[in-house]
Amino acid sequence: MSDAGGAAIEDYYLEERLFPPPEGFVDQAVVADPAIAEHAQRDVEGFWADQARALDWFDEWHTVLEWDLPFAKWFVGGTLNVSYNCLDRHVAAGLGDRVAIHWEGEPGDTRTITYSELLADVERFSNVLKGLGVRRGDRVAIYMPMIPELPVAMLACTRVGAPHSVVFGGFSPDALRDRIDDAQAKVLVTADGGWRRGSVVALKENADSALADTASIEHVVVARRTGESGGVTPMTEGRDHWWDEVMAGAEASCPPEHMDAEDLLYLLYTSGTTAKPKGIMHSTGGYLTQVAYTHRAVFDLHADRDVYWCAADIGWVTGHSYIVYGPLANGATSVMYEGTPDFPDKDRWWDIIERYGVTILYCAPTAIRTFMKWGNEFPERHDMSSLRVLGSVGEPINPEAWVWYWTHIGGGHCPVVDTWWQTETGAIMISPLPGVTTCKPGSATFPLPGIGAEVVDDAGEKVERGGGYLTLTRPWPSMLRGLYGDPERYRQTYWSRFEGRYFAGDGAKVDDDGYFWLLGRVDDVMNVSGHRISTAEVESSLVNHPSVAEAAVVGAKDDTTGQAIIAFVTLKAGQDETTEHGEDLRGHVARHIGSIARPRTVIFTDELPKTRSGKIMRRLLRDVAEGRDLGDTTTLADPRVVEEIRRLSTTRPTED
Ligand code: 7RM
């Protein structure tokens, strides 16, 4: 393995202490009984069938798995409804008054929503969708801030059998348009605006510009969030409808559709190695089975008393699986927070944990490292003794951050679960079990029961000990069912590199004790604060700018965000290499894709290093970027950088 984008293996051995389950962690993981792991070993399909039985089915399946590589069908012949499993069955079991969501807005407003109330809203909104012509199988696009209407819209889609495509509210109009077009969505659900660090993000305005050149959307539903603070929201007569008005006119009751286990539940677009994002397809029965199972097992969930907080955005897969579907399928009580950790001050997170008595916290290493940097005084002045389990996701967690999390947030009495998974896997695949697994800080430890994971070398041979590529050796219920509209790209991307194996795109190492260490992407996908961004997507945005001749983008190691985006840009003749020009290009990318894709640094160079076949030598550029102290802004055509690139490209063998 030559090109791991993440940290070097040595970085992971700074901390060699073992962390056995903390003393006093008496609530042994509910699904971590060794007999269950043994069952998964002996009879993996029987094991998954047991997990599927934890859901309510209208008709039972006749076949657990049909596997025709790379196409899997799980629980074939079974029918169920996701919103029924997340809502109706809990209310029917007498849990209607249990809080489903403790919601907190960025400005400090709050809402408490019980399971009965959530069901009522979902039924009404299901009727709204039907009234707008949405039928089973029609796609619905959702572009919303972190407000309760977002899970309501998603669950209503599942109730009527319309696959949703949630587009992160930080994405640009262009990104929204591309996703709507690819899915040919019929209805868009959005909001007037969203709050971000005290100002309004004009979502409806963005939506309008996205819709200016798409044809498939017939109706738009607009939830009120920012109201007059965001100015007047333009509404198009006949097409646009206010959420509260259509809800007021909708029937209260809507029976759930009986969906096939293999029906498409949702699409979620994720960055790959080309400029075109991939529409990851998730199914109904297998997906819900595995997210519900992992949410119980990995967090040792006791739904009757835990208060669970996943501090992700629902616009990403973590939010789909572990804010919406997993917790609700399990009847859990969740906190949902609209804002960022530093607004209005650095106490906000710890204050939320204290006020709601959060017992399980799930967040990203980038957040943990940021808190570390701010200093211990912020968590220290809050009572966080309610916490019981801590989770991490999105990128490799460095041992220092892991130990800080354990010590300063968990107080030494909370197991830390470092969970590896992807948009494509739908659910957690590699993780410790709290109260069971002895941890090594920085290692995601072992594949969960039922999961086959192995590290292989370039030739696809299993590596018993040492480094290589992470692969999955057998199908799993929540695996992606394909890429929307492109079965060939699905096979090519995931199932062709190593015969008979799913290739995750991550480098990994197995140590002498069999622990898995994830080392970052080995392809051209960057990971910035746990968000996937493709180098090709940013490059293509840059070369769209009239002044740019060529661009090469790399992810360089960053202490806080994991990786930072560094763009090497060659301008067209006669263009000036000025700071303003660099700023303009950074802004251009942010507008074109979204602020998460804004390059941290733009470096002008008069040539880009290439192989003889014309491939840009990214590894070399990354070395240049990582070997230098680059600022948070434009670096002018630094003669030393250009010289360094030139020198390296003549002294290094080409990478054909
Ligand atoms: C859940 C999510 C997936 C990529 C994946 C990895 C990286 C995620 C971990 C991790 C090391 C982890 N989905 N990744 N979790 N690397 N340890 N615990 O993030 O599709 O957006 O990203 O994220 O590289 O391939 S994702």
Short mmCIF file of all heavy atoms in Angstrom, two decimals, residues 270 316-318 362 392-397 418-424 430 444 504-506 518-521 527 530-532, ligand 1:
data_model
loop_
_atom_site.label_atom_id
_atom_site.label_comp_id
_atom_site.label_asym_id
_atom_site.label_seq_id
_atom_site.Cartn_x
_atom_site.Cartn_y
_atom_site.Cartn_z
N THR A 270 -22.80 10.61 -2.55
CA THR A 270 -21.51 10.70 -1.88
C THR A 270 -20.42 10.85 -2.93
O THR A 270 -20.58 10.44 -4.07
CB THR A 270 -21.27 9.46 -0.98
OG1 THR A 270 -20.11 9.68 -0.19
CG2 THR A 270 -21.08 8.20 -1.79
N TRP A 316 -25.87 13.85 6.22
CA TRP A 316 -24.88 12.81 5.95
C TRP A 316 -25.41 11.48 6.42
O TRP A 316 -26.38 11.41 7.17
CB TRP A 316 -23.57 13.12 6.66
CG TRP A 316 -23.08 14.51 6.40
CD1 TRP A 316 -23.17 15.58 7.24
CD2 TRP A 316 -22.48 15.00 5.20
NE1 TRP A 316 -22.64 16.69 6.64
CE2 TRP A 316 -22.21 16.37 5.40
CE3 TRP A 316 -22.12 14.40 3.97
CZ2 TRP A 316 -21.61 17.16 4.40
CZ3 TRP A 316 -21.53 15.19 3.00
CH2 TRP A 316 -21.28 16.55 3.23
N VAL A 317 -24.72 10.40 6.04
CA VAL A 317 -25.25 9.08 6.36
C VAL A 317 -25.30 8.85 7.87
O VAL A 317 -26.19 8.15 8.38
CB VAL A 317 -24.45 7.96 5.65
CG1 VAL A 317 -23.09 7.74 6.29
CG2 VAL A 317 -25.25 6.67 5.61
N THR A 318 -24.36 9.43 8.62
CA THR A 318 -24.36 9.22 10.07
C THR A 318 -25.70 9.67 10.65
O THR A 318 -26.27 9.01 11.51
CB THR A 318 -23.20 9.98 10.72
OG1 THR A 318 -21.99 9.56 10.10
CG2 THR A 318 -23.12 9.69 12.21
N TYR A 362 -22.25 10.58 20.50
CA TYR A 362 -21.63 10.04 19.29
C TYR A 362 -21.21 11.23 18.43
O TYR A 362 -22.06 12.03 18.03
CB TYR A 362 -22.66 9.18 18.56
CG TYR A 362 -22.17 8.31 17.41
CD1 TYR A 362 -20.88 7.80 17.39
CD2 TYR A 362 -23.03 7.98 16.36
CE1 TYR A 362 -20.46 6.96 16.35
CE2 TYR A 362 -22.62 7.14 15.32
CZ TYR A 362 -21.34 6.65 15.32
OH TYR A 362 -20.94 5.82 14.29
N SER A 392 -17.21 7.52 18.35
CA SER A 392 -16.46 8.35 17.41
C SER A 392 -16.68 7.79 16.01
O SER A 392 -16.77 6.58 15.82
CB SER A 392 -14.98 8.29 17.78
OG SER A 392 -14.18 8.82 16.75
N VAL A 393 -16.77 8.67 15.02
CA VAL A 393 -17.01 8.24 13.64
C VAL A 393 -16.54 9.29 12.64
O VAL A 393 -16.52 10.47 12.94
CB VAL A 393 -18.51 7.98 13.38
CG1 VAL A 393 -19.35 9.23 13.55
CG2 VAL A 393 -18.74 7.39 11.98
N GLY A 394 -16.19 8.84 11.45
CA GLY A 394 -15.95 9.75 10.34
C GLY A 394 -14.55 9.73 9.80
O GLY A 394 -14.31 10.00 8.63
N GLU A 395 -13.60 9.42 10.66
CA GLU A 395 -12.21 9.40 10.24
C GLU A 395 -11.41 8.71 11.34
O GLU A 395 -11.92 8.51 12.45
CB GLU A 395 -11.70 10.82 10.01
CG GLU A 395 -12.03 11.71 11.19
CD GLU A 395 -11.39 13.07 11.13
OE1 GLU A 395 -10.25 13.18 10.65
OE2 GLU A 395 -12.01 14.02 11.61
N PRO A 396 -10.16 8.36 11.05
CA PRO A 396 -9.37 7.75 12.11
C PRO A 396 -9.24 8.73 13.27
O PRO A 396 -9.08 9.93 13.07
CB PRO A 396 -8.00 7.53 11.44
CG PRO A 396 -8.27 7.54 9.96
CD PRO A 396 -9.42 8.48 9.78
N ILE A 397 -9.35 8.22 14.50
CA ILE A 397 -9.16 9.09 15.66
C ILE A 397 -7.74 8.85 16.18
O ILE A 397 -7.33 7.71 16.40
CB ILE A 397 -10.24 8.87 16.75
CG1 ILE A 397 -9.97 9.77 17.97
CG2 ILE A 397 -10.40 7.42 17.17
CD1 ILE A 397 -11.16 9.92 18.92
N ASP A 418 -14.97 3.42 18.77
CA ASP A 418 -14.53 4.02 17.51
C ASP A 418 -15.14 3.18 16.39
O ASP A 418 -14.76 2.03 16.21
CB ASP A 418 -12.99 3.99 17.46
CG ASP A 418 -12.44 4.45 16.12
OD1 ASP A 418 -13.21 4.92 15.27
OD2 ASP A 418 -11.21 4.33 15.93
N THR A 419 -16.11 3.76 15.68
CA THR A 419 -16.94 2.98 14.76
C THR A 419 -16.55 3.23 13.31
O THR A 419 -16.68 4.34 12.80
CB THR A 419 -18.41 3.37 14.93
OG1 THR A 419 -18.57 4.76 14.59
CG2 THR A 419 -18.87 3.17 16.37
N TRP A 420 -16.09 2.20 12.61
CA TRP A 420 -15.78 2.35 11.19
C TRP A 420 -16.95 1.89 10.34
O TRP A 420 -17.47 0.79 10.53
CB TRP A 420 -14.54 1.53 10.79
CG TRP A 420 -14.27 1.71 9.30
CD1 TRP A 420 -13.52 2.68 8.74
CD2 TRP A 420 -14.80 0.92 8.23
NE1 TRP A 420 -13.54 2.57 7.36
CE2 TRP A 420 -14.32 1.50 7.03
CE3 TRP A 420 -15.64 -0.20 8.17
CZ2 TRP A 420 -14.65 0.98 5.76
CZ3 TRP A 420 -15.97 -0.71 6.92
CH2 TRP A 420 -15.47 -0.12 5.73
N TRP A 421 -17.32 2.74 9.40
CA TRP A 421 -18.32 2.37 8.39
C TRP A 421 -18.36 3.46 7.35
O TRP A 421 -17.60 4.43 7.43
CB TRP A 421 -19.70 2.14 9.03
CG TRP A 421 -20.28 3.31 9.77
CD1 TRP A 421 -19.80 3.88 10.92
CD2 TRP A 421 -21.46 4.05 9.43
NE1 TRP A 421 -20.61 4.91 11.30
CE2 TRP A 421 -21.64 5.04 10.42
CE3 TRP A 421 -22.40 3.96 8.39
CZ2 TRP A 421 -22.70 5.95 10.39
CZ3 TRP A 421 -23.46 4.85 8.37
CH2 TRP A 421 -23.60 5.83 9.36
N GLN A 422 -19.20 3.29 6.32
CA GLN A 422 -19.25 4.24 5.20
C GLN A 422 -20.70 4.46 4.78
O GLN A 422 -21.57 3.66 5.12
CB GLN A 422 -18.53 3.66 3.98
CG GLN A 422 -17.18 3.11 4.23
CD GLN A 422 -16.60 2.52 2.96
OE1 GLN A 422 -17.12 1.55 2.42
NE2 GLN A 422 -15.52 3.11 2.48
N THR A 423 -20.91 5.49 3.97
CA THR A 423 -22.22 5.69 3.36
C THR A 423 -22.68 4.39 2.70
O THR A 423 -23.84 4.00 2.79
CB THR A 423 -22.13 6.81 2.30
OG1 THR A 423 -21.57 7.97 2.90
CG2 THR A 423 -23.50 7.15 1.75
N GLU A 424 -21.75 3.73 2.04
CA GLU A 424 -22.07 2.52 1.30
C GLU A 424 -22.46 1.35 2.21
O GLU A 424 -23.25 0.50 1.82
CB GLU A 424 -20.86 2.07 0.46
CG GLU A 424 -20.51 3.00 -0.70
CD GLU A 424 -19.56 4.14 -0.29
OE1 GLU A 424 -19.50 4.47 0.92
OE2 GLU A 424 -18.92 4.70 -1.19
N ILE A 430 -17.19 -2.08 11.87
CA ILE A 430 -16.06 -2.43 12.74
C ILE A 430 -16.14 -1.51 13.95
O ILE A 430 -16.19 -0.29 13.80
CB ILE A 430 -14.71 -2.22 12.01
CG1 ILE A 430 -14.68 -3.03 10.72
CG2 ILE A 430 -13.54 -2.61 12.92
CD1 ILE A 430 -13.39 -2.87 9.91
N ALA A 444 -10.16 0.75 15.70
CA ALA A 444 -11.61 0.45 15.69
C ALA A 444 -11.84 -0.99 16.16
O ALA A 444 -12.98 -1.46 16.16
CB ALA A 444 -12.19 0.69 14.31
N ALA A 504 -13.31 -1.17 0.11
CA ALA A 504 -13.86 -0.01 0.81
C ALA A 504 -13.18 1.30 0.42
O ALA A 504 -13.71 2.38 0.67
CB ALA A 504 -13.74 -0.22 2.31
N GLY A 505 -11.96 1.23 -0.16
CA GLY A 505 -11.23 2.46 -0.47
C GLY A 505 -10.35 2.93 0.68
O GLY A 505 -9.74 3.99 0.59
N ASP A 506 -10.30 2.16 1.76
CA ASP A 506 -9.50 2.54 2.93
C ASP A 506 -8.27 1.65 3.07
O ASP A 506 -8.33 0.45 2.81
CB ASP A 506 -10.31 2.38 4.22
CG ASP A 506 -11.23 3.56 4.47
OD1 ASP A 506 -10.77 4.70 4.32
OD2 ASP A 506 -12.41 3.34 4.78
N LEU A 518 -7.58 1.66 11.08
CA LEU A 518 -7.94 2.28 9.81
C LEU A 518 -6.98 3.43 9.54
O LEU A 518 -6.71 4.24 10.43
CB LEU A 518 -9.38 2.80 9.85
CG LEU A 518 -10.48 1.76 9.64
CD1 LEU A 518 -10.27 1.05 8.32
CD2 LEU A 518 -10.62 0.78 10.77
N LEU A 519 -6.48 3.51 8.31
CA LEU A 519 -5.40 4.46 8.03
C LEU A 519 -5.78 5.56 7.04
O LEU A 519 -4.93 6.32 6.61
CB LEU A 519 -4.19 3.70 7.49
CG LEU A 519 -3.67 2.58 8.40
CD1 LEU A 519 -2.57 1.81 7.72
CD2 LEU A 519 -3.20 3.15 9.72
N GLY A 520 -7.06 5.64 6.67
CA GLY A 520 -7.45 6.70 5.73
C GLY A 520 -7.64 6.16 4.32
O GLY A 520 -7.34 5.01 4.02
N ARG A 521 -8.13 7.03 3.44
CA ARG A 521 -8.46 6.62 2.08
C ARG A 521 -7.19 6.34 1.27
O ARG A 521 -6.18 6.99 1.46
CB ARG A 521 -9.24 7.75 1.37
CG ARG A 521 -10.51 8.17 2.07
CD ARG A 521 -11.61 7.19 1.99
NE ARG A 521 -11.96 6.81 0.64
CZ ARG A 521 -13.08 6.15 0.32
NH1 ARG A 521 -13.96 5.82 1.26
NH2 ARG A 521 -13.32 5.81 -0.92
N ASN A 527 -10.91 13.53 3.19
CA ASN A 527 -11.80 13.47 4.34
C ASN A 527 -11.53 14.71 5.20
O ASN A 527 -10.55 14.79 5.91
CB ASN A 527 -11.54 12.18 5.13
CG ASN A 527 -12.57 11.96 6.22
OD1 ASN A 527 -13.08 12.90 6.80
ND2 ASN A 527 -12.87 10.70 6.49
N GLY A 530 -14.42 14.72 8.61
CA GLY A 530 -15.33 13.58 8.48
C GLY A 530 -16.23 13.66 7.26
O GLY A 530 -17.08 12.81 7.07
N HIS A 531 -16.07 14.67 6.43
CA HIS A 531 -16.87 14.78 5.21
C HIS A 531 -16.06 14.34 4.01
O HIS A 531 -14.91 14.74 3.85
CB HIS A 531 -17.36 16.21 4.99
CG HIS A 531 -18.25 16.70 6.09
ND1 HIS A 531 -18.32 18.00 6.47
CD2 HIS A 531 -19.10 16.02 6.89
CE1 HIS A 531 -19.18 18.12 7.47
NE2 HIS A 531 -19.66 16.94 7.75
N ARG A 532 -16.70 13.55 3.18
CA ARG A 532 -16.00 13.05 2.00
C ARG A 532 -16.09 14.04 0.87
O ARG A 532 -17.16 14.47 0.49
CB ARG A 532 -16.67 11.75 1.56
CG ARG A 532 -16.05 10.57 2.17
CD ARG A 532 -16.95 9.40 1.99
NE ARG A 532 -16.92 8.92 0.61
CZ ARG A 532 -17.36 7.71 0.29
NH1 ARG A 532 -17.85 6.92 1.21
NH2 ARG A 532 -17.32 7.32 -0.96
C1 7RM B 1 -19.80 7.17 8.45
C2 7RM B 1 -19.03 7.93 7.40
C3 7RM B 1 -16.56 7.02 4.95
C4 7RM B 1 -15.07 7.10 5.12
C5 7RM B 1 -14.42 5.75 5.28
C6 7RM B 1 -13.19 6.09 6.08
C7 7RM B 1 -13.65 7.19 6.99
C8 7RM B 1 -15.32 6.66 8.81
C9 7RM B 1 -14.02 5.91 10.39
C10 7RM B 1 -13.23 6.21 9.26
C11 7RM B 1 -11.35 5.52 10.38
C12 7RM B 1 -13.36 5.40 11.56
N1 7RM B 1 -19.37 7.72 6.12
N2 7RM B 1 -14.07 6.69 8.31
N3 7RM B 1 -15.31 6.20 10.08
N4 7RM B 1 -11.90 6.01 9.26
N5 7RM B 1 -12.02 5.21 11.50
N6 7RM B 1 -14.03 5.10 12.69
O1 7RM B 1 -18.17 8.70 7.74
O2 7RM B 1 -19.14 7.74 3.66
O3 7RM B 1 -18.95 9.84 4.83
O4 7RM B 1 -17.14 8.31 4.94
O5 7RM B 1 -14.76 7.80 6.33
O6 7RM B 1 -12.20 6.58 5.23
O7 7RM B 1 -14.15 5.19 4.02
S1 7RM B 1 -18.68 8.44 4.83
#
